[in-house]
């Protein structure tokens, strides 16, 4: 078996969906696996010039690759069928969409409870309550839901019945929202690191590449104050169209935090970094980042990119990850003037 993993290095919304979609084009994967989170995720994908927002179904669906909602996810049945219908109506073949039979269910009670959240600023999709019941051993699994019958798979049978299995593992949210590594309690209720992919039946020694996805600046959605008091960040939000794909909420913006990015690169064992939205920084015409609690100011994109490249952490084994600075909604092509 071979597995590549796509993870978020910041607070979600780094355009992981775009990277997964791009990697699927190689045609080498037998499966694409969503490995954590629920309908809180909103993956914006441009497929053949059309814009799609998915919450559950992995990007493999656009390429006729078996696309599985994994055991690490939580799923709202009604929202799943709505999404399936939407994709079908757009002419996408959904016949290879599957659900791990041990994936947990988000119930109406979970949704109602989460709608009352005022402390964290959740996406109100019932994610936290569903994970709580899972770990409390009072949850409902997908296999108990009759209407899901035709979609269910056993991840062991899926991955281990052929030696040629190649899985692209697609994460949701990001390192800064991870329940252990994020700024608790301003986090989501699942694990958002590469380790989380392994919990879905992927053995560690199958992992080949870990694609860490970030942006040239940082964003966060939720109750804590994240955006500094400076109008430039409002401008950045407009230029970057930084509004939640799931809830439409404005995302708080800040400069790239290179120290946090390095920590995330190391803990995720990232082999390839994609830093998106270089085009947005260019439109802003200001290049700044925070590193070791100091604000660094650059006069051009190239200068900022050179600084990032020179200061990116080596991961275990002394490997320096490859970095792509991207500025295109449709591909991960390098963007450098
Ligand atoms: P929950 O995951 O809905 O419980 O929300 C917990 C925190 O994670 C809140 O600050 C949400 O805004 C944030 N969050 C959850 N999913 C996403 C996502 O896909 N992108 C960005 N923020 C998210
Ligand atoms: Mg998103």
């Amino acid at each position: 078996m071979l597995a590549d993993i796509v993870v978020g290095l910041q607070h979600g919304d780094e355009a992981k969906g775009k990277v997964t979609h791009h990697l699927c084009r190689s045609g080498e994967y037998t499966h694409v696996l969503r490995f954590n989170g629920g309908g809180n995720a909103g993956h914006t994908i441009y497929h053949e010039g059309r814009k799609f927002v998915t919450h559950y179904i992995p990007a493999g669906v656009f390429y006729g690759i078996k696309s599985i909602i994994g055991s690490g996810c939580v799923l709202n049945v009604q929202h799943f069928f709505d999404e399936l219908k939407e994709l079908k109506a757009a002419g996408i073949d959904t016949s290879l969409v599957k659900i791990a039979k041990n994936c947990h269910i988000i119930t109406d009670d979970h949704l109602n409870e989460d709608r009352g959240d005022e402390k964290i600023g959740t996406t109100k999709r019932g994610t936290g309550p569903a994970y709580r019941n899972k770990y409390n051993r009072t949850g409902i699994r997908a296999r108990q839901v009759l209407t899901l019958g035709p979609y269910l798979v056993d991840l062991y049978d899926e991955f281990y019945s052929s030696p040629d299995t190649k899985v692209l593992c697609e994460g949701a949210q990001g390192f800064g929202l991870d329940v252990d590594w994020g700024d608790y309690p301003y986090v989501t209720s699942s694990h958002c690191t590469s380790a989380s992919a392994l919990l879905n039946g992927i053995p560690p020694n199958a992992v080949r590449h870990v694609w860490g996805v970030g942006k040239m600046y940082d964003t966060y959605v939720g109750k804590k104050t994240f955006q500094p008091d400076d109008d430039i960040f409002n401008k950045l939000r407009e230029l970057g169209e930084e509004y939640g794909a799931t809830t439409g909420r404005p995302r708080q913006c800040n400069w790239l935090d290179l120290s946090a990015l390095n920590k995330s690169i190391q803990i995720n064992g990232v082999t390839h970094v994609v830093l998106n939205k270089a085009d947005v920084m260019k439109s802003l015409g200001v290049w700044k980042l925070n590193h070791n609690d100091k604000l660094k100011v650059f006069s051009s994109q190239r200068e900022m990119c050179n600084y990032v490249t020179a200061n990116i952490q080596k991961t275990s084994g002394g490997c320096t990850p490859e970095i792509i600075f991207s500025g295109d909604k449709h591909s991960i092509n390098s963007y450098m003037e």
Side-chain angles (χ1 to χ4, degrees), residues 216-217 277-288 304:
M216 289 287 279
Y217 50 92
K277 298 215 167 173
D279 54 333
V280 175
M281 292 294 274
K282 190 178 176 193
S283 313
L284 189 72
V286 177
W287 291 272
K288 294 184 181 180
M304 174 161 160

Side-chain angles (χ1 to χ4, degrees), residues 195-267:
S196 185
L198 308 188
L199 302 175
N200 290 250
I202 307 285
N205 59 359
V207 178
R208 178 180 62 173
H209 298 146
V210 178
W211 290 80
V213 189
K215 287 191 286 216
M216 289 287 279
Y217 50 92
D218 209 343
T219 61
Y220 156 85
V221 199
K223 280 276 169 174
K224 72 172 176 185
T225 302
F226 180 81
Q227 180 170 311
D229 186 17
D230 183 335
D231 218 30
I232 191 145
F233 297 111
N234 296 328
K235 196 172 165 197
L236 184 56
R237 177 189 310 120
E238 295 313 312
L239 290 171
E241 297 167 43
E242 297 295 350
Y243 290 89
T246 300
T247 61
R249 291 180 293 175
R251 296 174 184 148
Q252 299 188 53
C253 301
N254 201 343
W255 305 124
L256 174 70
D257 180 344
L258 188 55
S259 309
L261 190 81
N262 271 330
K263 183 173 169 185
S264 170
I265 285 171
Q266 289 183 294
I267 288 177

Side-chain angles (χ1 to χ4, degrees), residues 11-13 40-42 114 120-125 127-128 173 177 187-189 220-222 249:
H11 299 86
D13 306 319
N40 49 355
D114 202 16
I120 306 299
T122 72
T123 59
K124 308 207 187 302
R125 295 301 186 274
T127 313
Q173 291 86 43
L177 292 173
V187 294
T188 191
S189 299
Y220 156 85
V221 199
R249 291 180 293 175

Side-chain angles (χ1 to χ4, degrees), residues 82-102:
D82 289 348
E83 190 168 314
L84 210 56
K85 210 165 119 190
E86 222 174 273
L87 288 171
K88 263 189 208 160
I92 307 296
D93 176 8
T94 58
S95 59
L96 293 174
V97 173
K98 303 289 172 193
I99 302 166
K101 64 183 188 181
N102 48 349

